[in-house]
Amino acid sequence: METDKLKVHSGKCCLCDVGIALGYQDDTGNELHTGDIVVIWHGSYIGTEAEFWDGGDSLTVVVMNQYQSYSDGTVKIQDGPHVPFVMGIRGCGFNDPEWRVRIVKKFPNVVAGEHWPAYGFSYAKNANADSAAIAAAGAA
């Protein structure tokens, strides 16, 4: 089991490892992975002459519910399956025709300490999450 992986965080909450392949694509056909920074658009009146797309100016990140963080710093692996989503539109999934997702920065290009406070996410290593992953792998 590889340890010391980069993680996506929302505030102080560790969400998931960076770089997990998801089997979904953005609107240009690029494969999505956890940790990819994306931009989203919401469509209205899809398929009509009044079709309108709003957004494209707000960054967010692709994540999954891999870890559960607690206020004492404890991190545990969530019971599976771990569901991937775009932060901010979790309930919509990747195939909702009213939403477009486009990668603006791929996961291999993010670095530990990268922080996007205006958008609510950051990248850091997390020893407690690594320990939880090792313990879960040993129990399996």
Side-chain angles (χ1 to χ4, degrees), residues 80-97:
H82 300 141
V83 179
F85 60 96
V86 175
M87 201 158 69
I89 58 169
R90 182 177 186 156
C92 298
F94 291 97
N95 298 319
D96 187 318

Side-chain angles (χ1 to χ4, degrees), residues 82-137:
H82 300 141
V83 179
F85 60 96
V86 175
M87 201 158 69
I89 58 169
R90 182 177 186 156
C92 298
F94 291 97
N95 298 319
D96 187 318
E98 291 186 6
W99 289 95
R100 289 186 181 166
V101 175
R102 183 169 299 160
I103 297 168
V104 295
K105 187 174 187 180
K106 286 296 294 172
F107 76 91
N109 299 318
V110 300
V111 296
E114 187 167 343
H115 188 203
W116 295 86
Y119 304 111
F121 64 93
S122 62
Y123 298 87
K125 296 187 178 183
N126 188 308
N128 292 340
D130 288 336
S131 295
I134 291 168

Side-chain angles (χ1 to χ4, degrees), residues 25-98:
Q25 298 176 338
D26 75 356
D27 71 331
T28 64
N30 292 310
E31 294 294 320
L32 290 166
H33 294 78
T34 56
D36 287 343
I37 298 175
V38 297
V39 64
I40 56 176
W41 288 270
H42 181 259
S44 300
Y45 311 107
I46 310 299
T48 71
E49 289 183 22
E51 183 172 317
F52 175 75
W53 290 92
D54 187 36
D57 57 356
S58 182
L59 297 178
T60 188
V61 65
V62 178
V63 294
M64 71 170 39
N65 64 336
Q66 183 180 11
Y67 297 108
Q68 174 68 49
S69 297
Y70 296 90
S71 59
D72 67 356
T74 302
V75 179
K76 294 187 177 179
I77 296 280
Q78 292 267 36
D79 290 336
H82 300 141
V83 179
F85 60 96
V86 175
M87 201 158 69
I89 58 169
R90 182 177 186 156
C92 298
F94 291 97
N95 298 319
D96 187 318
E98 291 186 6

